[in-house]
Amino acid sequence: MPESSAAVPAPNSTPSDAVLYNEKLWPNVWIWLVSAGMSGAGILVFAPISLGAGLTAAVVLFVIVAVLLVLSTPAITVTGSTLRVGRATIERRFVGTATAFRGAEATAERGTRLNGLAFLCIRGWIDPVVRIEITDPSDRTPYWLTSTRHPDQLIDALNS
């Protein structure tokens, strides 16, 4: 049999499209409880017409809110060649230093220290944030700021 001329990756190397880190920024339990409570407003509005209409309205409102929450849930994906945060993608060669912030520091990064040109993918129900510097000279964005439940794992994936 003829030998293949295709390069075979070394056992310890990772292909550039291998996923090194993946996280979905799902809403917390209390967001779902608030959504269910707000959906109960349908009962108040439609109960004077009939209790069945009120309950139906509450269920329909909750389904709409749930679908919107699920569809708007961003993902963070790090591969060997790219970083994807929500809808934004950048090549890893343009990713600089990544720094994690928690508590009051995370609040300051989302607020008083925030650069107006930064790309944001933050969720209020997730406290830790990671600031990822962008080194692309043709990009005016100085850094990306993203919420994450696992900041240390994200930084490890970016540094690998």
Side-chain angles (χ1 to χ4, degrees):
M1 271 216 289
E3 292 185 26
S4 172
S5 62
V8 177
N12 292 336
S13 69
T14 58
S16 64
D17 61 345
V19 175
L20 304 174
Y21 179 83
N22 192 25
E23 175 183 7
K24 293 275 284 183
L25 303 178
W26 294 108
N28 283 352
V29 172
W30 67 268
I31 295 293
W32 293 105
L33 293 175
V34 168
S35 300
M38 288 176 46
S39 299
I43 296 173
L44 296 174
V45 172
F46 289 98
I49 298 169
S50 83
L51 186 58
L55 292 173
T56 302
V59 169
V60 168
L61 284 172
F62 182 75
V63 168
I64 290 170
V65 170
V67 166
L68 291 175
L69 281 172
V70 169
L71 291 178
S72 67
T73 298
I76 303 170
T77 305
V78 179
T79 67
S81 61
T82 61
L83 165 64
R84 178 180 208 97
V85 177
R87 294 176 287 168
T89 304
I90 191 166
E91 293 179 39
R92 292 266 312 270
R93 63 187 174 115
F94 296 122
V95 172
T97 306
T99 310
F101 298 94
R102 291 177 175 86
E105 290 292 313
T107 302
E109 285 297 317
R110 290 187 298 261
T112 56
R113 286 190 242 160
L114 184 64
N115 184 321
L117 296 175
F119 170 77
L120 301 177
C121 183
I122 55 177
R123 295 297 181 258
W125 52 81
I126 301 174
D127 179 58
V129 294
V130 171
R131 179 180 172 170
I132 306 163
E133 289 184 42
I134 304 301
T135 60
D136 185 356
S138 64
D139 190 349
R140 293 183 52 210
T141 306
Y143 61 89
W144 290 7
L145 188 67
T146 182
S147 297
T148 177
R149 289 187 173 93
H150 311 287
D152 297 327
Q153 293 174 5
L154 175 57
I155 290 173
D156 289 344
L158 289 170
N159 291 333
S160 64

